[in-house]
Amino acid sequence: MNRKIAIIIALQTLLIIIMFWLLVFYGKDEYENYTHEQDDEIESPSRVVSQQGATIISLTQQTQEQSGISTTVLKSSNHQGVLTSFGSVVSIDPLIELRTRYLASKAEANVARASLTTSQQEYQRLLKLNQDNRNISDRALLVAETSWKTDEAKVSAAELAATNLRDIMRQQWGEVLTIEATKTNPDKPMQQLLQNQSVLLQISLPFDVATPKTNSRLLVTPAASTAKPIEADFVSVSPQTDHTIQGKTYYYRATTGDFRSGMRISVVIPDSAKAVSGVVVPASAVVWYGGKAWVYRQQDAEHFIRQAINTDIAADNGWFNTNTIKPNDAVVTSGAQLLLSEEFKYQIKNENED
């Protein structure tokens, strides 16, 4: 009897345990749903509002300090307008070859001229002897005259060859480079070209651009390179055209650096006629969204609005802008990404409510 009672009590205890477990298991989902509904009912104040299509973020001064948000007031800045063009690094091997042949012809002319002086003096000496009672024969005088005329012809031929080479050089390279290249002891600029310490650039400029002035400069860099541009000095007008680019061609000289013969180059030319006023937006203020660059402009002490900027004109540590962002505007330079994240949360919440 006692054994039966003990079995019954054990079964009742087991049944109670099973029922309690089922109650907890099936009641958990209901409890979580209830808790979630309660959380939804407790709305935190929104920091983001939309006004006339613009998104404005509101942050108290305390929140700004806690989040490390700081702003910078933009100052007025002027940007020098520029023109862009292209060119190439010219191989000066043909110029060196013409220079070598020219100097060889001049040397040959000098040698022939020295021989001419000797043969002419010899002829004059023999002429006097011939005239003085025929102390030498007419045949000897004729041989001397022939030698004199031969040396005279050699001088003329060598000088003519040198002149022709100079004319060819002038047609291909222009007067300035021809003058430099035909010097026996060239000036420093030509020496640097010959020693590959500098390179010769042929640059095409638009037809409406005035001829560069002596000592003028422009900025060049290898095409598609991100290297910092270097200055190139104007040399002269180029008598040869660039078959790949229409425009007026000019020679410039630059230090060798990364430039190689035949390399295409990009050109930036300052244009004072296109100088404009605006502001430089610091790179630290820019956030990227949707393939565009944006900044958060401060409307007042606690409100910020996202505004697109232009990145077409690069400046030191930022981008030059006109019209959209103005001098004395304050933009967020620390914490801009945080404001963008806050705006994203607002958008996601609205989408969920829909």
Side-chain angles (χ1 to χ4, degrees):
M1 183 69 179
N2 291 335
R3 185 177 179 182
K4 290 182 179 180
I5 295 174
I7 292 173
I8 293 172
I9 293 174
L11 290 174
Q12 290 178 340
T13 302
L14 179 61
L15 182 61
I16 292 173
I17 293 172
I18 292 174
M19 292 180 64
F20 179 79
W21 182 83
L22 290 173
L23 179 63
V24 172
F25 180 81
Y26 287 105
K28 181 179 65 172
D29 291 340
E30 294 295 327
Y31 177 79
E32 289 179 352
N33 290 336
Y34 174 79
T35 303
H36 184 68
E37 291 175 359
Q38 291 296 103
D39 289 342
D40 287 344
E41 292 176 1
I42 304 175
E43 296 184 358
S44 59
S46 176
R47 295 175 175 174
V48 183
V49 295
S50 293
Q51 292 183 0
Q52 299 179 348
T55 302
I56 299 175
I57 300 177
S58 176
L59 295 176
T60 64
Q61 292 285 352
Q62 182 180 4
T63 302
Q64 293 178 41
E65 293 176 1
Q66 292 174 348
S67 302
I69 294 175
S70 60
T71 60
T72 297
V73 177
L74 302 180
K75 297 180 180 180
S76 178
S77 176
N78 293 324
H79 175 73
Q80 177 71 60
V82 296
L83 296 172
T84 58
S85 189
F86 297 93
S88 61
V89 181
V90 180
S91 171
I92 64 169
D93 289 349
L95 178 63
I96 294 175
E97 181 183 356
L98 288 172
R99 165 183 161 80
T100 302
R101 291 169 56 191
Y102 171 83
L103 294 179
S105 295
K106 293 295 291 184
E108 184 179 345
N110 290 335
V111 171
R113 190 174 290 107
S115 180
L116 172 62
T117 300
T118 301
S119 61
Q120 188 176 21
Q121 290 175 350
E122 179 66 10
Y123 171 77
Q124 293 296 333
R125 185 181 71 82
L126 294 178
L127 178 62
K128 290 180 179 180
L129 290 175
N130 180 263
Q131 292 174 346
D132 185 15
N133 296 323
R134 302 276 181 179
N135 289 328
I136 65 163
S137 65
D138 292 340
R139 181 177 179 81
L141 181 62
L142 180 60
V143 171
E145 183 180 10
T146 301
S147 178
W148 167 37
K149 296 298 182 181
T150 300
D151 289 341
E152 192 174 50
K154 289 181 179 179
V155 171
S156 298
E159 287 290 357
L160 179 60
T163 300
N164 290 339
L165 288 169
R166 183 185 180 94
D167 290 340
I168 293 173
M169 204 180 303
R170 186 183 294 108
Q171 290 293 324
Q172 295 181 0
W173 299 92
E175 184 65 25
V176 173
L177 286 175
T178 297
I179 292 174
E180 292 184 11
T182 52
K183 292 180 180 178
T184 305
N185 296 312
D187 296 334
K188 185 176 180 180
M190 178 55 67
Q191 289 181 4
Q192 291 177 333
L193 281 175
L194 297 175
Q195 296 169 6
N196 197 36
Q197 295 175 356
S198 63
V199 291
L200 188 67
L201 312 175
Q202 185 186 57
I203 293 172
S204 295
L205 300 182
F207 288 107
D208 58 349
V209 173
T211 300
K213 298 180 180 179
T214 304
N215 299 325
S216 63
R217 293 180 173 181
L218 46 70
L219 298 176
V220 294
T221 186
S225 171
T226 57
K228 183 179 180 180
I230 66 171
E231 290 184 333
D233 298 313
F234 175 68
V235 176
S236 66
V237 174
S238 170
Q240 301 186 64
T241 188
D242 189 328
H243 297 292
T244 61
I245 306 172
Q246 293 298 314
K248 296 186 293 186
T249 50
Y250 302 92
Y251 285 131
Y252 281 78
R253 185 185 289 111
T255 55
T256 302
D258 294 332
F259 297 112
R260 301 293 183 270
S261 178
M263 180 181 289
R264 303 299 296 178
I265 58 174
S266 299
V267 181
V268 176
I269 310 151
D271 185 3
S272 58
K274 295 185 177 181
V276 291
S277 298
V279 295
V280 175
V281 179
S284 58
V286 178
V287 292
W288 296 88
Y289 171 63
K292 296 182 179 180
W294 305 81
V295 296
Y296 280 93
R297 180 171 57 84
Q298 188 175 31
Q299 287 188 308
D300 54 42
E302 297 185 352
H303 294 88
F304 304 87
I305 183 170
R306 179 160 56 90
Q307 192 164 338
I309 66 163
N310 191 299
T311 56
D312 290 341
I313 304 176
D316 290 339
N317 300 317
W319 290 272
F320 183 82
N321 273 253
T322 59
N323 299 327
T324 55
I325 300 292
K326 300 179 181 179
N328 299 322
D329 281 348
V331 296
V332 176
T333 50
S334 176
Q337 194 64 47
L338 183 65
L339 295 180
L340 185 63
S341 299
E342 187 70 25
E343 189 176 336
F344 280 157
K345 287 194 296 184
Y346 169 78
Q347 293 176 356
I348 294 172
K349 179 179 178 182
N350 285 350
E351 290 175 358
N352 291 337
E353 288 178 353
D354 291 343

